[in-house]
Amino acid sequence: MTAYIRKSIAMGVFDLNDVNQNFGYWAADWYYTNTPYVRFWIPWYKLAPYGMNNPATDGSPLPGSSFTVAQHVAGLDAQIKYARQLGLKVVLTFDWFPQWANGTPDRRTPPPDVSVGSAWATYLAWIIARWSALNPNNNGAYADFIEICNEPNGYTAIPGTYPAAHYVAGRMMMTAQTIQSYG
C-alpha cells in the first residue's frame, strides 16, 4: 500500500481551439483542487500526424485544426511552464498512436514495434529530452514524471501478439527503461 494517496488532476487533450482544454483558463482555480500535480496529455498522433518529423519545428497542419504541429508543441510548452511557475509538479502522458505507425485508424492500437529502434521509441526519447529538467533550452517547461501510456487495458489488441496490456507492460516499459538509462 502507498504511504499516502497522491491526488492529481488530468487536463483533457490540449487543443489550441478550445479554451476548456487550456490549463491557463483553469489555473486560477487550481489552488482549490488541493493537488500539487497536473497531468498533460502528449498524444503521439498530434506530435507526428503524417510521419517522422521534429514536432517542435513541424509546420504541417494539425489535423482538424487551423494550427501547425509546431504551434501545438509551443502551446504545450506554455502550459507546462505556467504550471511550473505556479509550483505544480507536471506529469506528461504519452499516449494514442498515429495511423502511419499502427496501420489502423484506431488511436488506441499500439504499433506492432515498440522496440528501442522503433518510431515509438524515437518519439518517447524526443519527449524525454524536450521536457527534461536537464534540457537548458526548454525555458522552464519540464516534467517531473512521464507516463508512457494510459489505461493499456483499453488498448486494442494487436493481431498476432500478446494482449495489449501485456504488450505495454512488457515491451513498452523495457524500451522506456532502456531510453532512460542512456539519459
Side-chain angles (χ1 to χ4, degrees), residues 34-140:
N34 196 29
T35 178
Y37 301 95
V38 61
R39 182 170 64 165
F40 297 106
W41 293 90
I42 309 295
W44 185 16
Y45 78 91
K46 286 192 172 194
L47 291 181
Y50 309 107
M52 299 293 284
N53 64 1
N54 176 349
T57 60
D58 186 352
S60 301
L62 197 61
S65 174
S66 60
F67 296 98
T68 67
V69 173
Q71 288 171 317
H72 178 75
V73 170
L76 286 167
D77 285 346
Q79 290 195 103
I80 293 165
K81 183 176 180 179
Y82 189 28
R84 303 254 12 129
Q85 289 170 337
L86 293 175
L88 297 171
K89 297 201 180 293
V90 173
V91 179
L92 301 180
T93 300
F94 181 46
D95 201 16
W96 296 350
F97 311 99
Q99 184 172 358
W100 64 266
N102 68 9
T104 172
D106 181 357
R107 293 183 181 143
R108 299 293 295 166
T109 302
D113 183 7
V114 294
S115 68
V116 172
S118 70
W120 181 84
T122 298
Y123 283 94
L124 179 60
W126 185 87
I127 288 168
I128 291 169
R130 171 118 188 143
W131 289 300
S132 166
L134 302 176
N135 180 351
N137 300 314
N138 65 19
N139 297 315

Side-chain angles (χ1 to χ4, degrees), residues 169-181:
R171 299 293 309 269
M172 292 172 101
M173 185 54 77
M174 288 187 315
T175 296
Q177 289 171 333
T178 300
I179 291 168
Q180 182 185 24
S181 71

